[in-house]
Amino acid sequence: MTPSAVLESALYVTDLAAAETFYRDVLGLTLLGKVDGRHLFFRCGAGVLLIFNAEATKVPPAPDARLKVPPHGTVGEGHLCFAASADELGRWKAQLEAKNIAIESEFEWPQGGRSIYIRDPSGNSIEFAEPRIWGL
């Protein structure tokens, strides 16, 4: 057996309110659910982007918790890459610049395909790239 796809990806943030505004209003993702002080869940294509308060997810569930999700988290800045066609990359760059989001880096990969990088409000590295950078 091998996994067929990534169903959900997670990023950890220090400010959920700023993250909600960024991922909803700047990137246009649809909010699926949230628990104040703990997490935000966004639809992203066929998958889900989980945004967690890094400190809150370190706490183990109570013994009588209905959902016994084990503690998890990370320290420092994470990374996530959104797929974008060559045409979409140009449109993303214009949209991000119109919303005063700095493009941190932009380049063409040696094997073909372009990427642009920005930072979310918690400092996570967010990339938009053509899938062909991975031969997809």
Side-chain angles (χ1 to χ4, degrees):
M1 297 280 307
T2 28
S4 61
V6 175
L7 177 62
E8 55 190 39
S9 297
L11 288 174
Y12 297 84
V13 301
T14 54
D15 184 337
L16 281 173
E20 182 174 1
T21 299
F22 179 81
Y23 287 96
R24 183 193 62 220
D25 299 346
V26 174
L27 299 189
L29 297 178
T30 301
L31 186 66
L32 293 175
K34 76 187 221 181
V35 171
D36 288 335
R38 188 174 191 288
H39 66 251
L40 305 163
F41 296 162
F42 291 95
R43 165 75 60 212
C44 183
V48 178
L49 174 58
L50 311 174
I51 305 288
F52 290 107
N53 172 334
E55 291 303 312
T57 59
K58 292 179 185 176
V59 178
D64 62 344
R66 184 174 60 86
L67 301 173
K68 296 188 184 298
V69 177
H72 53 82
T74 188
V75 175
E77 299 161 344
H79 171 72
L80 182 71
C81 180
F82 293 108
S85 68
D87 181 56
E88 289 170 335
L89 277 177
R91 294 195 328 255
W92 272 115
K93 184 176 177 187
Q95 177 173 315
L96 293 164
E97 289 173 342
K99 293 182 181 275
N100 295 315
I101 304 296
I103 305 296
E104 182 176 34
S105 184
E106 177 179 7
F107 57 89
E108 179 128 358
W109 290 90
Q111 69 274 25
R114 290 182 30 241
S115 287
I116 59 173
Y117 289 81
I118 61 172
R119 294 281 170 173
D120 78 2
S122 291
N124 289 303
S125 175
I126 306 300
E127 178 183 7
F128 295 83
E130 293 178 77
R132 66 186 179 124
I133 69 170
W134 290 107
L136 303 174

